[in-house]
Amino acid sequence: DNTMTATSQKGGNTSANVPQPSTLNVYKKISIIRRPEDSLTYEDAGGNVKTVSAVELGEALHATQPNTNDSDTAANKQQQQQQAKKQKQDIPVPLIRAVGGYECDISATFQQPLSYVRYHRATPQELKDQLEYVLDAEDEAWLASKNSKLEESTKTTTKTTATATTTTPAQPQPQRLTFDLLELMMDILEKETGFESIITTHTAYEVFAQKIPQLFSIFPAKQAKHSNSTTTTTAKQIISDVYNYWMHKRSKLKRPLFRRFWPVTSTDDTNPHLVFRPREKEKYKLRKKRQNDMDSYHKLQRLRRDFDTVRAVLALIRRREQVARVQLQLHMERHRQDLFELLDTSGSPARQVVARGDGTTTPA
């Protein structure tokens, strides 16, 4: 304690009790502090042996750590945010929104059966009969805008009728395109197109007249002849508006609205938003299927006969080359004998020459 006080009075250098770095001795045991009563004995750079208690060592190390102010922390956070903005990554991040009344609206009535739950893949007819399309936020915004225009048209029609007649006219039924009708119309347009070419407006009108008769009960099929109802919206106009919106949304997406009508994603496409790529075929299979059939047996027999023929031909070629080598050696011997008879005048017999197997000759 006296040492710590004296040190602080001199100038606040609390690092005097901290062991200074020195040469590491690999043969010396490492001191391990397990309890507050333990002490650390070390040797400083001057060779002096010093002892520091665990409490003093902890206080000195804590005092030497730099103080982190709030301004420094905020600056570090701002710097990290700037670095994160620089690293632009095109990774789709899903947005999660908690639904408040989910537990009240949807009760937990599912009971786990004793057997496995098997997925029943719907048939094409079942997919055609059930409703698959679900309105999104863009559809809801368009529907709200369309219904507001219909309400304005209804009010204009009511005012025109009231001006033309002296009696108070009955309030007409408001024309509104409901969520269910828009979902059904979008679903029918997608399924009627499918993998084929896009249907026309005339074909869509006929399909809607057959499958959605309630649409024509809300909106009249034709415009009335009297002049004071020129602003009434007909079913043909509604179908044309929905058809144009569906075409705009489909061209904006550049693919069908239903996932099952999308083309297969190419393996070379690097867009992270496109999924379900086909598996690449393995070039080398680890296990090869072997079958013991007669065709393979006959192929192996023909292959063995071909190898026997090749071996016999190679044996004949080797024998031919050996005969040619012996014949060449005989020609060489005859040539030497002729030269000896022409050039030697001593009368002594010529020395015999022995031929080796490698083609060279040595005197006997």
Side-chain angles (χ1 to χ4, degrees), residues 69-238:
N69 299 328
D70 296 338
S71 59
D72 297 339
T73 306
N76 293 334
K77 289 183 178 179
Q78 186 177 3
Q79 186 178 3
Q80 291 177 0
Q81 291 177 359
Q82 290 178 358
Q83 292 179 357
K85 289 180 180 179
K86 290 180 180 179
Q87 297 176 356
K88 183 179 179 182
Q89 296 179 351
D90 189 12
I91 300 176
V93 179
L95 300 178
I96 300 174
R97 181 173 60 88
V99 180
Y102 180 80
E103 296 181 356
C104 299
D105 298 339
I106 301 177
S107 59
T109 58
F110 177 75
Q111 295 181 359
Q112 184 177 359
L114 299 177
S115 59
Y116 288 106
V117 178
R118 298 186 179 275
Y119 172 71
H120 171 68
R121 188 179 295 274
T123 61
Q125 185 62 32
E126 291 176 350
L127 289 175
K128 193 173 182 179
D129 294 339
Q130 68 182 8
L131 182 64
E132 296 183 64
Y133 190 81
V134 179
L135 294 183
D136 54 10
E138 184 181 1
D139 300 335
E140 293 178 3
W142 181 86
L143 182 61
S145 175
K146 184 63 180 176
N147 285 330
S148 63
K149 293 180 181 179
L150 291 175
E151 290 177 0
E152 292 178 0
S153 176
T154 305
K155 292 179 181 179
T156 305
T157 305
T158 306
K159 291 180 180 180
T160 305
T161 307
T163 305
T165 59
T166 56
T167 59
T168 304
Q171 292 294 333
Q173 186 178 1
Q175 292 179 322
R176 292 182 59 86
L177 184 63
T178 62
F179 281 69
D180 297 337
L181 275 178
L182 183 59
E183 280 186 349
L184 188 58
M185 293 174 73
M186 299 286 283
D187 186 85
I188 290 174
L189 288 173
E190 277 294 315
K191 290 179 180 178
E192 290 297 326
T193 300
F195 296 101
E196 301 176 359
S197 58
I198 300 176
I199 62 173
T200 60
T201 312
H202 180 71
T203 308
Y205 184 85
E206 294 179 353
V207 173
F208 288 149
Q210 181 181 1
K211 294 186 177 181
I212 316 178
Q214 62 270 24
L215 178 65
F216 295 87
S217 62
I218 301 175
F219 302 97
K222 294 181 180 180
Q223 188 70 258
K225 294 183 179 180
H226 49 85
S227 60
N228 56 358
S229 62
T230 55
T231 57
T232 304
T233 306
T234 61
K236 189 173 183 180
Q237 295 175 356
I238 292 294

Side-chain angles (χ1 to χ4, degrees), residues 39 103 109 150 204 209 268 302 319 323:
S39 60
E103 296 181 356
T109 58
L150 291 175
D268 300 332
R302 288 195 298 269
R319 184 177 178 183
V323 172

Side-chain angles (χ1 to χ4, degrees), residues 26-37:
V26 296
Y27 300 102
K28 187 177 180 179
K29 295 183 178 179
I30 299 176
S31 300
I32 300 176
I33 298 176
R34 296 186 176 88
R35 296 180 300 274
E37 297 81 9

Side-chain angles (χ1 to χ4, degrees), residues 215-350:
L215 178 65
F216 295 87
S217 62
I218 301 175
F219 302 97
K222 294 181 180 180
Q223 188 70 258
K225 294 183 179 180
H226 49 85
S227 60
N228 56 358
S229 62
T230 55
T231 57
T232 304
T233 306
T234 61
K236 189 173 183 180
Q237 295 175 356
I238 292 294
I239 292 173
S240 178
D241 293 342
V242 174
Y243 180 85
N244 293 332
Y245 171 72
W246 169 71
M247 285 289 296
H248 173 71
K249 189 172 184 179
R250 192 182 175 103
S251 61
K252 183 180 177 181
L253 189 61
K254 297 181 180 180
R255 59 177 62 91
L257 302 183
F258 285 167
R259 179 64 183 84
R260 58 189 180 98
F261 294 144
W262 289 11
V264 180
T265 306
S266 176
T267 55
D268 300 332
D269 197 343
T270 57
N271 189 359
H273 299 275
L274 299 178
V275 294
F276 304 110
R277 291 174 175 80
R279 290 175 176 263
E280 295 183 0
K281 295 182 180 180
E282 298 180 358
K283 295 183 179 179
Y284 303 100
K285 295 183 180 179
L286 299 179
R287 295 182 179 180
K288 294 183 178 180
K289 189 178 180 180
R290 297 181 178 179
Q291 296 180 353
N292 297 327
D293 50 357
M294 293 303 296
D295 294 337
S296 302
Y297 176 70
H298 292 317
K299 289 180 181 179
L300 291 176
Q301 280 188 336
R302 288 195 298 269
L303 188 61
R304 182 169 184 176
R305 287 196 297 268
D306 294 340
F307 278 124
D308 292 339
T309 304
V310 171
R311 185 172 57 182
V313 171
L314 292 177
L316 293 175
I317 293 174
R318 181 181 179 184
R319 184 177 178 183
R320 183 192 66 185
E321 295 299 327
Q322 289 178 351
V323 172
R325 185 177 61 183
V326 172
Q327 186 177 5
L328 180 60
Q329 291 176 357
L330 290 175
H331 285 295
M332 291 174 63
E333 286 294 330
R334 184 175 179 181
H335 181 64
R336 291 194 188 96
Q337 183 65 31
D338 294 339
L339 289 177
F340 179 76
E341 293 177 355
L342 292 174
L343 301 177
D344 190 14
T345 56
S346 61
S348 58

